[in-house]
Amino acid sequence: MADSSSSTAPPAEQLQNLHLDEVTGERVSKSELKKRQKARAQEEKKKEKAASAPAKTVPEKKTSAEDEESELSANQYFEIRSRNINKLRQTKNPNPYPHKFQVNTDLREFLKKWETLGKGEVRKDVEVRIGGRVYVKRSSGAKLVFYDIRAEGVKVQVMAQAQETSGDVPFGAQHEHLRRGDIIGIIGYPGRTSPKNRADGELSIFAKEVILLTPCLHQLPAEHYGFKDKEQRYRQRYLDLIMNNNSRNVFVTRSKVVSYVRRYFDERDFIEVDTPMMNAIAGGATAKPFITHHNDLNMDLFMRVAPELYLKMLIVGGLERVYELGRQFRNEGIDLTHNPEFTTCEFYMAYADVYDIMDMTEELVSGLVKSITGGYVTKFHTQHGEEYTVNWERPWKRIEMIPALEAATGEKFPPGDELHTDATNAFLKHVLAKCKVECSPPQTNARMLDKLVGEYIEETCVNPTFITGHPQMMSPLAKYHRSNPGLCERFEAFVCKKEIVNAYTELNDPFDQRLRFEEQARQKDQGDDEAQMIDENFCTSLEWGLPPTGGWGMGIDRLVMFLTDNYSIKEVLAFPFMKDDRSEKKSAAEVVGIQPMVEEGIGEWMPL
């Protein structure tokens, strides 16, 4: 039998025609070998060419200057921006602080007038000139920039396209220096954008020219995080107003409150007057005053705690209806409802009494709330999150002080004409101990009664409530009650457990007034710093005759707090009192090295 392997071996002549491929170790035909060698040679040439060619660079995604600046710290941004703006100050190309930009349109009116424009509709025949602050800047390539600007509490989009640019300054030069926070002037026309991915466009100003009016040297807080730190908001109220529209609305409401109050009295023939801020005597209210000094006269003066005495002297003089809106100063504690300086309105009306004033209070305040809010019901949230629903509609609830305290404490109080005695002092101390109500020294009858009222009556006054029937010793300027001896004709109005109004039939008896002042002097001797001093000039004016008069005072700040739902008085004061900020910060002038210049012609100040 023949060997099987010998049958598969190629013939000898066939092996002689095959050639060795040294790369793979195979034996292949001559033509196949040439084909392989040619392919390998071409591959080598490609590699050599690739090796000799310059390395390809992957193009980096371009980032805008604004994106790069967003990575900087606040101090770094401030220093770089200050230097850049200082260069513009020197070159005037452009002038970063021009003198004037002619505005012809109120942004609020612009939004109302052109809100009906359809998608893609523009009005190139209408020139719009508006100034505003930049809140957002978005670049979409080199020839299209969007801005969100705000003015007068409203916002609008500005669309700037290179092909629409007019004026002497090229498109790029107009926009390269602009940043968030800058105040700019826009010259353009109204229109509505026509985006492909939305059914409706956005009402916009299509800009022909954008002008830098005032640069912002600081980095605006990011819109996402905002500006929420309370202490910084109070210290930098300007930045608070830039970033928080709610703060702006509070001060707009405050202005409306003051305007309504002024209009109410003007329409009823009252005369608005101004009385001194500095006095030799701190009178008109039970409060501790600030003391200042007049250098030329070398005398101490008191900042006024209330204008009451001066206003009543004007009534004596024949100005029978007077009012004053102004600041008062009290050197007392600072808390959520008290600031050392605050705003009140006081009015005095001849031939009126406490009951007339009570009706006027309901009419004024209820009408004011309706005018400003559109209704009589408002919401108020306390520091602890409690929600009060307040109905300001008249008539208001009325509570008599002593009967209400008797019901709350279960004790029978002494008659009104004995409430000022030492026996009553001992009685009130007993009641305080029984009810576990603390009263810090000095424990005068007036202070202890006031503590009990705060504990048991004021705490029930959420809706507007009149508390009446005050003891005479608590009210040194109020007239005695015509039917209840020892009491006086006075009321306090409370809302959300806080006082907003104090009023009474004015004491016009000079004999009685002097006795009341002497009782106040006795309380001051006992250590009550808030007790009033004897004002001899006022006592003398009463001797000339003060007609029967009703007087009234209202705290403007607290009323604004309730109407804007703010439990802190600092929210409704543009610049509340704050402790000194002693942190050191460089100014823009220091950053760029500007030195103060000596001004010629400025000599010593001379009085006119």
Side-chain angles (χ1 to χ4, degrees):
M1 182 177 223
D3 189 353
S4 61
S5 63
S6 63
S7 64
T8 60
E13 63 274 9
Q14 189 174 352
L15 288 174
Q16 291 176 355
N17 293 328
L18 297 180
H19 301 271
L20 178 66
D21 185 342
E22 296 179 353
V23 175
T24 64
E26 298 176 286
R27 300 189 70 85
V28 295
S29 66
K30 186 176 181 181
S31 60
E32 175 64 19
L33 181 61
K34 286 184 177 181
K35 184 177 177 182
R36 291 185 180 187
Q37 290 173 339
K38 186 177 181 180
R40 289 171 185 148
Q42 288 177 343
E43 187 67 26
E44 285 296 323
K45 285 182 180 180
K46 283 183 182 180
K47 288 181 180 180
E48 290 175 4
K49 187 176 181 180
S52 62
K56 287 185 178 180
T57 56
V58 179
E60 293 184 6
K61 188 178 180 180
K62 290 184 179 180
T63 58
S64 66
E66 291 87 348
D67 291 336
E68 293 175 356
E69 290 166 356
S70 66
E71 303 298 323
L72 299 175
S73 70
N75 287 336
Q76 289 172 329
Y77 181 94
F78 172 65
E79 292 189 7
I80 292 171
R81 180 74 162 146
S82 296
R83 292 190 183 98
N84 290 341
I85 295 303
N86 190 46
K87 289 178 184 176
L88 296 183
R89 290 177 64 246
Q90 295 165 350
T91 63
K92 305 294 185 186
N93 186 27
N95 179 5
Y97 298 99
H99 290 72
K100 171 72 174 173
F101 176 76
Q102 188 64 48
V103 172
N104 68 2
T105 306
D106 184 302
L107 187 53
R108 294 166 296 185
E109 295 302 318
F110 173 88
L111 295 175
K112 289 179 184 177
K113 183 175 181 179
W114 301 108
E115 64 180 350
T116 57
L117 288 177
K119 180 179 179 180
E121 185 179 356
V122 296
R123 289 293 305 273
K124 293 190 176 184
D125 57 317
V126 178
E127 183 180 76
V128 172
R129 301 175 67 96
I130 283 179
R133 188 181 292 274
V134 176
Y135 281 75
V136 176
K137 180 182 179 183
R138 305 183 301 277
S139 297
S140 182
K143 297 184 178 181
L144 177 61
V145 181
F146 291 94
Y147 298 95
D148 287 346
I149 69 162
R150 293 185 190 174
E152 299 294 345
V154 294
K155 181 180 74 170
V156 72
Q157 176 177 268
V158 176
M159 181 176 177
Q161 298 171 285
Q163 66 265 30
E164 294 284 350
T165 300
S166 63
D168 300 329
V169 183
F171 180 82
Q174 286 187 23
H175 300 278
E176 65 177 334
H177 300 296
L178 304 184
R179 297 293 184 271
R180 291 182 65 235
D182 289 354
I183 297 170
I184 61 175
I186 303 103
I187 304 171
Y189 56 87
R192 192 174 288 276
T193 58
S194 182
K196 295 179 181 179
N197 56 348
R198 280 173 50 187
D200 61 332
E202 184 170 350
L203 179 60
S204 306
I205 301 172
F206 288 74
K208 293 182 178 179
E209 186 174 2
V210 179
I211 302 166
L212 175 62
L213 302 180
T214 307
C216 175
L217 302 182
H218 292 274
Q219 196 174 40
L220 273 192
E223 281 201 314
H224 177 72
Y225 297 104
F227 186 53
K228 304 298 182 186
D229 184 276
K230 286 188 177 181
E231 181 169 343
Q232 291 305 314
R233 285 179 48 237
Y234 302 149
R235 289 189 185 279
Q236 297 178 280
R237 184 64 85 185
Y238 44 87
L239 183 54
D240 178 34
L241 291 169
I242 289 172
M243 297 302 300
N244 299 312
N245 221 35
N246 285 343
S247 295
R248 174 191 175 84
N249 293 337
V250 167
F251 296 111
V252 170
T253 299
R254 184 189 180 99
S255 176
K256 290 178 180 178
V257 168
V258 171
S259 296
Y260 186 96
V261 170
R262 183 171 274 122
R263 187 166 60 251
Y264 177 88
F265 290 117
D266 289 344
E267 290 173 352
R268 287 158 181 78
D269 295 326
F270 281 78
I271 299 171
E272 184 173 9
V273 297
D274 294 306
T275 59
M277 290 278 191
M278 295 183 294
N279 309 283
I281 296 290
T286 303
K288 188 175 181 178
F290 283 96
I291 302 174
T292 186
H293 186 78
H294 193 292
N295 291 332
D296 194 41
L297 298 177
N298 192 27
M299 64 181 293
D300 286 340
L301 295 169
F302 298 97
M303 300 298 291
R304 75 175 182 191
V305 294
E308 177 169 343
L309 304 186
Y310 284 109
L311 294 174
K312 286 194 280 195
M313 285 191 272
L314 294 176
I315 299 284
V316 171
L319 299 180
E320 295 178 352
R321 296 185 180 202
V322 294
Y323 76 96
E324 181 172 10
L325 275 157
R327 287 283 193 178
Q328 318 309 327
F329 306 88
R330 298 184 182 179
N331 196 359
E332 299 170 353
I334 300 174
D335 58 29
L336 289 174
T337 59
H338 294 87
N339 195 68
E341 55 178 314
F342 56 98
T343 302
T344 66
C345 176
E346 292 201 16
F347 82 82
Y348 294 83
M349 183 177 179
Y351 312 112
D353 65 9
V354 71
Y355 303 106
D356 299 318
I357 303 302
M358 206 176 290
D359 292 338
M360 289 180 68
T361 302
E362 289 180 329
E363 180 184 46
L364 166 61
V365 178
S366 294
L368 183 152
V369 173
K370 177 70 181 297
S371 173
I372 291 175
T373 68
Y376 292 109
V377 178
T378 62
K379 299 283 188 182
F380 180 75
H381 295 83
T382 70
Q383 179 189 15
H384 305 294
E386 298 170 280
E387 181 180 273
Y388 296 151
T389 300
V390 186
N391 186 349
W392 300 82
E393 192 169 7
R394 59 191 304 193
W396 295 358
K397 185 179 179 181
R398 304 183 182 196
I399 298 175
E400 282 200 48
M401 180 185 291
I402 299 302
L405 287 179
E406 289 177 338
T409 62
E411 295 282 347
K412 179 65 177 175
F413 276 60
D417 55 1
E418 296 179 13
L419 289 173
H420 66 287
T421 63
D422 290 338
T424 299
N425 186 277
F427 167 78
L428 291 173
K429 288 179 179 177
H430 159 72
V431 173
L432 288 175
K434 171 189 171 184
C435 299
K436 297 181 181 179
V437 176
E438 294 185 3
C439 177
S440 60
Q443 291 187 331
T444 62
N445 294 16
R447 284 173 56 83
M448 288 189 286
L449 264 175
D450 191 53
K451 284 293 182 183
L452 289 170
V453 170
E455 185 74 21
Y456 292 112
I457 303 179
E458 294 175 10
E459 284 296 309
T460 68
C461 301
V462 174
N463 283 329
T465 304
F466 293 122
I467 299 176
T468 64
H470 295 66
Q472 287 184 31
M473 52 144 181
M474 295 178 73
S475 314
L477 298 171
K479 196 160 188 171
Y480 62 86
H481 200 284
R482 63 193 77 178
S483 58
N484 291 325
L487 304 185
C488 61
E489 295 194 351
R490 174 188 177 189
F491 74 79
E492 292 177 291
F494 281 78
V495 179
C496 297
K497 306 180 182 181
K498 301 294 181 183
E499 176 195 347
I500 60 167
V501 172
N502 186 28
Y504 30 83
T505 304
E506 298 297 333
L507 179 60
N508 62 343
D509 179 343
F511 304 96
D512 194 358
Q513 181 63 79
R514 180 167 291 280
L515 291 174
R516 302 277 192 92
F517 275 150
E518 288 175 356
E519 169 60 21
Q520 286 281 299
R522 187 180 73 84
Q523 292 185 20
K524 187 172 276 295
D525 290 340
Q526 291 180 351
D528 189 350
D529 291 335
E530 297 181 352
Q532 298 185 44
M533 294 179 280
I534 299 175
D535 190 322
E536 293 292 350
N537 190 32
F538 175 68
C539 289
T540 301
S541 74
L542 293 186
E543 295 170 2
W544 291 87
L546 172 68
T549 298
W552 176 95
M554 179 173 73
I556 298 296
D557 309 303
R558 282 193 186 171
L559 183 58
V560 176
M561 287 168 61
F562 296 138
L563 295 185
T564 58
D565 193 8
N566 282 299
Y567 60 77
S568 172
I569 193 172
K570 290 183 177 180
E571 295 287 356
V572 303
L573 299 176
F575 298 98
F577 185 83
M578 304 289 291
K579 292 181 180 179
D580 282 345
D581 181 6
R582 301 187 181 278
S583 59
E584 294 185 4
K585 298 174 184 176
K586 280 188 177 181
S587 68
E590 290 173 321
V591 167
V592 300
I594 294 178
Q595 298 297 320
M597 295 173 61
V598 176
E599 293 286 345
E600 295 182 3
I602 299 180
E604 184 179 352
W605 176 84
M606 296 295 288
L608 296 175

